[in-house]
Amino acid sequence: MATATPARPVTTDTTPTPTVRRKRRPQAGLLTAVTWILAIGFFFPVLWMVLTAFKKESDANTNPPTFFFSPTLEQFRNVFDAGIGTPLLNSVFATVASTILVLLLGVPAAFALSLRPVRKTSDALFFFLSTKMLPIVAAIIPLYVIVGKIGMLDNVWTLVVLYTAMNLPIAVWMMRSFFLEVPGELLEAASIDGASLWTSVREVILPLISPGIAATALICVIFSWNEFFFAVNMTAVNAQTMPVFLTGFMSGQGLFWAQLSAASVLAALPVVICGWIAQNKLVRGLSFGAIK
Protein backbone atom coordinates (compact mmCIF):
# COMPACT_ATOMS: atom_id res chain seq x y z
CA MET A 1 0.00 0.00 0.00
CA ALA A 2 1.52 3.25 -1.09
CA THR A 3 1.92 5.92 1.57
CA ALA A 4 1.44 9.56 0.71
CA THR A 5 4.49 11.68 1.17
CA PRO A 6 3.90 14.72 3.38
CA ALA A 7 3.76 18.01 1.55
CA ARG A 8 6.80 20.16 2.00
CA PRO A 9 6.14 23.56 3.53
CA VAL A 10 6.43 26.36 1.07
CA THR A 11 8.81 29.04 2.27
CA THR A 12 9.14 32.45 0.75
CA ASP A 13 12.38 34.29 1.21
CA THR A 14 11.76 38.00 1.14
CA THR A 15 15.34 38.93 1.88
CA PRO A 16 16.63 41.18 -0.88
CA THR A 17 19.43 39.79 -2.94
CA PRO A 18 22.92 41.27 -2.63
CA THR A 19 22.46 42.86 -6.05
CA VAL A 20 19.36 44.78 -4.87
CA ARG A 21 21.16 45.85 -1.71
CA ARG A 22 24.08 47.16 -3.69
CA LYS A 23 21.69 49.20 -5.84
CA ARG A 24 19.87 50.72 -2.87
CA ARG A 25 22.90 51.74 -0.84
CA PRO A 26 24.35 54.22 -3.39
CA GLN A 27 20.92 55.82 -3.81
CA ALA A 28 20.46 56.21 -0.05
CA GLY A 29 23.99 57.56 0.32
CA LEU A 30 23.47 60.04 -2.51
CA LEU A 31 20.19 61.25 -0.99
CA THR A 32 21.86 61.67 2.41
CA ALA A 33 24.74 63.62 0.87
CA VAL A 34 22.39 65.94 -1.03
CA THR A 35 20.35 66.50 2.14
CA TRP A 36 23.46 67.43 4.12
CA ILE A 37 24.66 69.78 1.39
CA LEU A 38 21.29 71.57 1.29
CA ALA A 39 21.13 71.78 5.08
CA ILE A 40 24.65 73.22 5.30
CA GLY A 41 23.86 75.65 2.48
CA PHE A 42 20.79 76.95 4.30
CA PHE A 43 22.53 77.12 7.67
CA PHE A 44 25.83 78.62 6.50
CA PRO A 45 24.59 82.27 6.31
CA VAL A 46 23.38 82.01 9.91
CA LEU A 47 26.70 80.49 11.00
CA TRP A 48 28.62 83.21 9.16
CA MET A 49 26.51 85.90 10.83
CA VAL A 50 27.27 84.45 14.27
CA LEU A 51 30.99 84.24 13.50
CA THR A 52 31.05 87.81 12.16
CA ALA A 53 29.41 89.04 15.37
CA PHE A 54 32.55 88.02 17.29
CA LYS A 55 34.97 89.73 14.88
CA LYS A 56 36.45 93.19 14.86
CA GLU A 57 35.31 95.52 12.10
CA SER A 58 38.73 95.22 10.46
CA ASP A 59 38.35 91.42 10.30
CA ALA A 60 34.75 91.56 9.12
CA ASN A 61 35.50 93.73 6.06
CA THR A 62 38.42 91.78 4.59
CA ASN A 63 38.44 90.34 1.10
CA PRO A 64 38.90 87.38 0.97
CA PRO A 65 36.99 86.72 4.22
CA THR A 66 38.90 86.04 7.43
CA PHE A 67 38.25 82.57 8.83
CA PHE A 68 40.78 82.66 11.68
CA PHE A 69 40.45 85.54 14.13
CA SER A 70 40.52 86.36 17.84
CA PRO A 71 36.93 86.38 19.17
CA THR A 72 35.79 89.54 20.93
CA LEU A 73 32.60 90.83 22.59
CA GLU A 74 33.29 94.38 21.51
CA GLN A 75 30.49 94.45 18.95
CA PHE A 76 27.88 93.31 21.47
CA ARG A 77 28.98 96.08 23.84
CA ASN A 78 28.66 98.58 21.01
CA VAL A 79 25.16 97.33 20.22
CA PHE A 80 24.05 97.79 23.83
CA ASP A 81 25.66 101.22 23.91
CA ALA A 82 23.67 102.12 20.78
CA GLY A 83 20.45 101.67 22.77
CA ILE A 84 19.08 98.25 21.87
CA GLY A 85 16.99 98.11 25.03
CA THR A 86 14.04 100.23 23.88
CA PRO A 87 13.61 98.60 20.44
CA LEU A 88 13.91 95.16 22.04
CA LEU A 89 11.22 95.90 24.62
CA ASN A 90 8.97 97.42 21.94
CA SER A 91 9.30 94.32 19.78
CA VAL A 92 8.61 92.02 22.71
CA PHE A 93 5.54 93.98 23.78
CA ALA A 94 4.08 94.34 20.27
CA THR A 95 4.70 90.67 19.48
CA VAL A 96 3.34 89.23 22.72
CA ALA A 97 0.32 91.56 22.92
CA SER A 98 -0.68 91.03 19.28
CA THR A 99 -0.27 87.25 19.54
CA ILE A 100 -2.48 87.12 22.64
CA LEU A 101 -5.13 89.21 20.89
CA VAL A 102 -4.95 87.00 17.80
CA LEU A 103 -5.52 83.87 19.89
CA LEU A 104 -8.36 85.46 21.89
CA LEU A 105 -10.12 86.47 18.68
CA GLY A 106 -9.04 83.61 16.44
CA VAL A 107 -9.90 80.60 18.63
CA PRO A 108 -13.64 81.45 18.94
CA ALA A 109 -13.81 82.38 15.25
CA ALA A 110 -12.15 79.14 14.16
CA PHE A 111 -14.40 77.14 16.49
CA ALA A 112 -17.52 78.81 15.11
CA LEU A 113 -16.41 78.20 11.52
CA SER A 114 -15.61 74.49 12.10
CA LEU A 115 -17.43 72.62 14.87
CA ARG A 116 -20.27 75.13 15.19
CA PRO A 117 -20.61 76.55 11.66
CA VAL A 118 -22.67 79.68 11.17
CA ARG A 119 -24.66 80.85 8.17
CA LYS A 120 -22.58 81.62 5.09
CA THR A 121 -19.44 80.12 6.58
CA SER A 122 -17.75 80.08 3.19
CA ASP A 123 -18.37 83.81 2.78
CA ALA A 124 -16.80 84.51 6.15
CA LEU A 125 -13.76 82.39 5.26
CA PHE A 126 -13.40 84.18 1.94
CA PHE A 127 -13.56 87.53 3.74
CA PHE A 128 -10.71 86.49 6.03
CA LEU A 129 -8.67 85.34 3.05
CA SER A 130 -9.45 88.45 0.97
CA THR A 131 -7.87 90.69 3.60
CA LYS A 132 -4.49 89.19 2.67
CA MET A 133 -4.94 89.94 -1.04
CA LEU A 134 -4.50 93.72 -0.69
CA PRO A 135 -0.81 94.71 -0.84
CA ILE A 136 0.34 96.48 2.31
CA VAL A 137 1.93 99.26 0.26
CA ALA A 138 -1.51 100.12 -1.17
CA ALA A 139 -2.95 100.64 2.32
CA ILE A 140 -0.06 102.40 4.02
CA ILE A 141 -1.06 105.96 3.03
CA PRO A 142 -4.67 105.72 4.31
CA LEU A 143 -3.42 104.00 7.46
CA TYR A 144 -0.79 106.68 8.00
CA VAL A 145 -3.36 109.45 7.61
CA ILE A 146 -5.83 107.77 10.00
CA VAL A 147 -3.15 107.03 12.61
CA GLY A 148 -1.85 110.59 12.35
CA LYS A 149 -5.34 112.06 12.76
CA ILE A 150 -5.94 110.15 16.01
CA GLY A 151 -2.48 110.99 17.34
CA MET A 152 -1.14 107.41 17.43
CA LEU A 153 1.99 107.79 15.32
CA ASP A 154 5.16 106.46 16.97
CA ASN A 155 3.03 104.49 19.45
CA VAL A 156 3.62 100.82 20.13
CA TRP A 157 -0.13 100.20 20.51
CA THR A 158 -0.55 101.11 16.85
CA LEU A 159 1.77 98.24 15.96
CA VAL A 160 -0.19 95.91 18.26
CA VAL A 161 -3.42 96.66 16.37
CA LEU A 162 -1.79 96.39 12.95
CA TYR A 163 0.00 93.13 13.80
CA THR A 164 -3.24 91.67 15.15
CA ALA A 165 -5.08 92.55 11.93
CA MET A 166 -2.18 91.20 9.90
CA ASN A 167 -2.01 87.79 11.63
CA LEU A 168 -5.67 87.15 12.46
CA PRO A 169 -6.74 85.77 9.02
CA ILE A 170 -3.82 83.33 8.95
CA ALA A 171 -4.53 82.23 12.51
CA VAL A 172 -8.22 81.62 11.82
CA TRP A 173 -7.47 79.49 8.77
CA MET A 174 -4.79 77.49 10.60
CA MET A 175 -6.83 76.86 13.74
CA ARG A 176 -9.94 76.01 11.75
CA SER A 177 -8.04 73.15 10.12
CA PHE A 178 -7.08 71.90 13.58
CA PHE A 179 -10.66 72.16 14.87
CA LEU A 180 -11.93 70.19 11.86
CA GLU A 181 -9.79 67.24 12.95
CA VAL A 182 -11.66 67.00 16.27
CA PRO A 183 -14.65 64.61 16.10
CA GLY A 184 -17.93 66.40 16.65
CA GLU A 185 -19.11 63.45 18.75
CA LEU A 186 -16.89 64.67 21.58
CA LEU A 187 -19.04 67.78 22.01
CA GLU A 188 -22.20 65.67 21.86
CA ALA A 189 -20.86 63.30 24.52
CA ALA A 190 -19.87 66.20 26.75
CA SER A 191 -23.28 67.83 26.38
CA ILE A 192 -24.99 64.53 27.26
CA ASP A 193 -22.88 64.40 30.43
CA GLY A 194 -24.22 67.83 31.35
CA ALA A 195 -21.22 69.97 30.42
CA SER A 196 -21.87 73.44 29.12
CA LEU A 197 -20.45 74.64 25.81
CA TRP A 198 -17.70 76.65 27.53
CA THR A 199 -16.77 73.68 29.75
CA SER A 200 -16.67 71.37 26.74
CA VAL A 201 -14.41 73.73 24.83
CA ARG A 202 -12.13 74.41 27.79
CA GLU A 203 -11.74 70.86 29.07
CA VAL A 204 -12.24 68.72 25.95
CA ILE A 205 -11.50 70.62 22.75
CA LEU A 206 -8.68 73.00 23.70
CA PRO A 207 -6.44 70.29 25.26
CA LEU A 208 -6.75 68.28 22.04
CA ILE A 209 -5.78 71.16 19.75
CA SER A 210 -3.17 72.72 22.05
CA PRO A 211 -0.33 71.67 19.68
CA GLY A 212 -2.13 73.45 16.84
CA ILE A 213 -2.62 76.57 18.95
CA ALA A 214 1.08 76.52 19.86
CA ALA A 215 2.05 76.22 16.19
CA THR A 216 -0.28 79.10 15.27
CA ALA A 217 1.07 81.27 18.08
CA LEU A 218 4.66 80.65 17.00
CA ILE A 219 3.83 81.59 13.40
CA CYS A 220 2.25 84.83 14.63
CA VAL A 221 5.29 85.54 16.82
CA ILE A 222 7.65 85.10 13.88
CA PHE A 223 5.57 87.30 11.56
CA SER A 224 5.18 90.05 14.16
CA TRP A 225 8.80 89.99 15.28
CA ASN A 226 10.15 90.22 11.73
CA GLU A 227 7.64 92.79 10.44
CA PHE A 228 9.39 95.84 9.02
CA PHE A 229 7.10 97.79 6.68
CA PHE A 230 4.55 98.94 9.26
CA ALA A 231 7.24 99.59 11.85
CA VAL A 232 9.44 101.75 9.63
CA ASN A 233 6.51 103.90 8.48
CA MET A 234 4.53 104.18 11.72
CA THR A 235 7.35 104.66 14.22
CA ALA A 236 10.23 107.05 14.73
CA VAL A 237 12.02 106.77 18.08
CA ASN A 238 9.66 105.88 20.92
CA ALA A 239 8.05 102.82 19.28
CA GLN A 240 11.03 101.68 17.19
CA THR A 241 11.28 97.89 16.86
CA MET A 242 14.23 95.60 16.27
CA PRO A 243 14.00 95.41 12.44
CA VAL A 244 14.03 99.22 12.27
CA PHE A 245 16.87 99.37 14.80
CA LEU A 246 19.01 97.13 12.60
CA THR A 247 18.87 99.61 9.74
CA GLY A 248 20.71 102.13 11.92
CA PHE A 249 23.97 100.26 11.31
CA MET A 250 23.73 101.10 7.60
CA SER A 251 24.73 104.76 7.65
CA GLY A 252 26.51 107.23 5.43
CA GLN A 253 29.77 106.36 7.18
CA GLY A 254 29.58 102.84 5.77
CA LEU A 255 28.17 99.45 6.60
CA PHE A 256 29.32 98.13 9.98
CA TRP A 257 29.20 94.40 9.29
CA ALA A 258 30.37 93.20 12.70
CA GLN A 259 27.99 95.41 14.67
CA LEU A 260 25.12 94.58 12.31
CA SER A 261 25.83 90.86 12.76
CA ALA A 262 25.93 91.22 16.55
CA ALA A 263 22.61 93.10 16.54
CA SER A 264 21.11 90.50 14.19
CA VAL A 265 22.16 87.68 16.52
CA LEU A 266 20.50 89.43 19.45
CA ALA A 267 17.39 90.09 17.33
CA ALA A 268 17.10 86.46 16.22
CA LEU A 269 17.78 84.96 19.64
CA PRO A 270 14.27 85.44 21.18
CA VAL A 271 12.54 83.74 18.24
CA VAL A 272 15.05 80.87 18.32
CA ILE A 273 14.43 80.41 22.04
CA CYS A 274 10.65 80.42 21.53
CA GLY A 275 10.95 77.85 18.76
CA TRP A 276 13.22 75.67 20.90
CA ILE A 277 10.83 75.77 23.87
CA ALA A 278 7.77 74.98 21.73
CA GLN A 279 9.46 72.54 19.36
CA ASN A 280 7.56 69.46 20.59
CA LYS A 281 4.15 71.09 20.32
CA LEU A 282 5.19 72.74 17.05
CA VAL A 283 5.98 69.41 15.38
CA ARG A 284 2.76 67.89 16.68
CA GLY A 285 0.79 70.93 15.59
CA LEU A 286 2.19 71.05 12.06
CA SER A 287 1.47 67.29 11.65
CA PHE A 288 -1.92 67.47 13.37
CA GLY A 289 -4.41 65.38 11.45
CA ALA A 290 -1.83 63.99 9.02
CA ILE A 291 -2.20 60.48 10.52
CA LYS A 292 -5.61 59.20 11.48
Side-chain angles (χ1 to χ4, degrees), residues 84-212:
I84 193 177
T86 300
L88 184 61
L89 292 178
N90 288 335
S91 289
V92 171
F93 180 79
T95 299
V96 173
S98 63
T99 301
I100 292 175
L101 286 176
V102 165
L103 294 180
L104 291 178
L105 297 174
V107 170
F111 175 79
L113 294 172
S114 57
L115 297 180
R116 291 294 178 92
V118 295
R119 292 183 59 187
K120 297 185 177 181
T121 299
S122 58
D123 294 340
L125 289 172
F126 177 76
F127 169 75
F128 281 115
L129 187 62
S130 64
T131 58
K132 305 299 296 181
M133 298 179 183
L134 179 66
I136 299 178
V137 68
I140 192 62
I141 295 179
L143 286 175
Y144 186 87
V145 173
I146 294 173
V147 172
K149 289 291 185 180
I150 62 177
M152 292 294 288
L153 285 175
D154 200 17
N155 192 313
V156 70
W157 281 105
T158 301
L159 297 181
V160 172
V161 175
L162 292 176
Y163 292 171
T164 302
M166 176 183 69
N167 291 327
L168 186 58
I170 301 175
V172 171
W173 273 87
M174 287 186 64
M175 286 188 289
R176 179 177 179 269
S177 65
F178 299 136
F179 274 113
L180 288 175
E181 298 297 333
V182 178
E185 291 78 6
L186 290 178
L187 282 176
E188 297 178 1
S191 63
I192 292 175
D193 292 338
S196 62
L197 178 61
W198 169 243
T199 303
S200 302
V201 173
R202 186 182 71 248
E203 298 184 2
V204 178
I205 305 300
L206 291 184
L208 289 177
I209 66 166
S210 58

Side-chain angles (χ1 to χ4, degrees), residues 79 83-92 225 227-228 231 239-249 262-268 270:
V79 170
I84 193 177
T86 300
L88 184 61
L89 292 178
N90 288 335
S91 289
V92 171
W225 187 268
E227 201 284 323
F228 176 77
Q240 188 182 63
T241 59
M242 284 301 297
V244 181
F245 175 75
L246 294 179
T247 61
F249 296 97
S264 300
V265 170
L266 294 175

